[in-house]
Amino acid sequence: MIYDAAIVGSGPAGLSAATVLKARGKNIIWFGPEEMSSKIEKAEKISNYPGLGIITGHELNEHFRKHIKELDLEITNKFVSKISDFGGHFTLLADNEMYEAKTVLLAAGIAVAKGFDGEKEYLGRGVSYCATCDGMFYKGKTLAVYCGDKSFIPEVSYLANIAEKVYLFSTDGKLKAPENNVELVDGRLAKILGEKRVEIVELSNGDQITVDGVFILRNAIPPEELLPGLELDGPHVAVNRQLHTNIEGCFAAGDNTGRPYQIAKAIGEGNVAAHEILEHLAKNK
């Protein structure tokens, strides 16, 4: 099945776009966590969202969830790790499954995770964010894997079944080794080092481990790595006033397009992007 649109991100921008596209009868797939925006959920007080007065983030997300249920919308609770542009349609890799769509809306917010020293420098030279995409390059080799969330444990197992040895790093050290050749590292990953390619990972205490590659599995992927060829404006996705990116058929809305990082702005951009998607689909029947 080829969807009319794939929405990546279940925050306010994604919700706004989904409501418009649903109302216009489009066949969409909407990716993101079912709990929606964690940033909103944790907000103690929101006082600048018109019409709702002073409200907690949890209460606002409850309003959003009620709206989703009323419209019979569905969030696909999968993490999109790779998007490929095939000039007229896109493929999206989400939790090791492939999906196709005529258009894509990037609405997953701005990545707040601080990268490791050497992460950007060795991207494509031993550093990868996608186990399914790049795992087979490391058959019988030694890997360091940073697992930012327990939901990525199946990816760790996948890599362990390819590699000879996996050194596993986590945020809290509470993960369990999913395979016999996985060793939990008692320490924090600090640096990625090497000459032309990755050769070493260094811990915060200065200890070093020799590896052939590093996989970084976290709930935030730099947009230029998520969709190769995507133009950026600093840390944000570059868009025009109509929220078109430089890639035909790809749009962006919400925090990832730049400041202000406001709910009202995200909802407005999601609405605009959805109408631009409708226009694009009409022109490319």
Side-chain angles (χ1 to χ4, degrees), residues 79 95 147 149-155 219:
F79 179 67
D95 290 2
C147 186
D149 187 273
K150 63 182 180 181
S151 64
F152 291 109
I153 285 296
E155 313 288 308
N219 288 317

Side-chain angles (χ1 to χ4, degrees), residues 167-244:
Y167 293 97
L168 180 60
F169 295 83
S170 68
T171 53
D172 54 17
K174 294 180 180 179
L175 295 177
K176 293 182 180 180
E179 306 290 341
N180 291 334
N181 62 336
V182 175
E183 179 180 333
L184 294 173
V185 180
D186 184 18
R188 291 191 300 109
L189 177 61
K191 295 180 182 179
I192 301 169
L193 304 167
E195 291 293 332
K196 294 182 179 180
R197 290 185 55 82
V198 169
E199 296 174 355
I200 293 168
V201 290
E202 185 172 290
L203 280 62
S204 55
N205 63 4
D207 289 350
Q208 294 186 340
I209 301 172
T210 300
V211 297
D212 298 297
V214 179
F215 281 81
I216 299 171
L217 309 177
R218 63 163 80 98
N219 288 317
I221 293 179
E224 70 274 23
E225 174 63 16
L226 178 65
L227 176 52
L230 188 68
E231 285 186 6
L232 301 184
D233 181 8
H236 306 113
V237 179
V239 293
N240 62 15
R241 288 275 295 171
Q242 289 73 42
L243 303 172
H244 295 236

Side-chain angles (χ1 to χ4, degrees), residues 9-10 14 81 109 134 144 160 172 174 182 239 246-247 257 265 273:
S10 57
S81 57
D134 300 327
D172 54 17
K174 294 180 180 179
V182 175
V239 293
N246 65 301
I247 296 175
T257 67
K265 179 251 192 187

Side-chain angles (χ1 to χ4, degrees), residues 2 46 59 66 76 82 86 95 115 136 177 207 230 277:
I2 300 181
I46 296 170
E59 289 170 333
K66 181 181 178 182
T76 299
K82 199 75 172 180
F86 287 95
D95 290 2
M136 290 307 297
D207 289 350
L230 188 68
I277 287 171

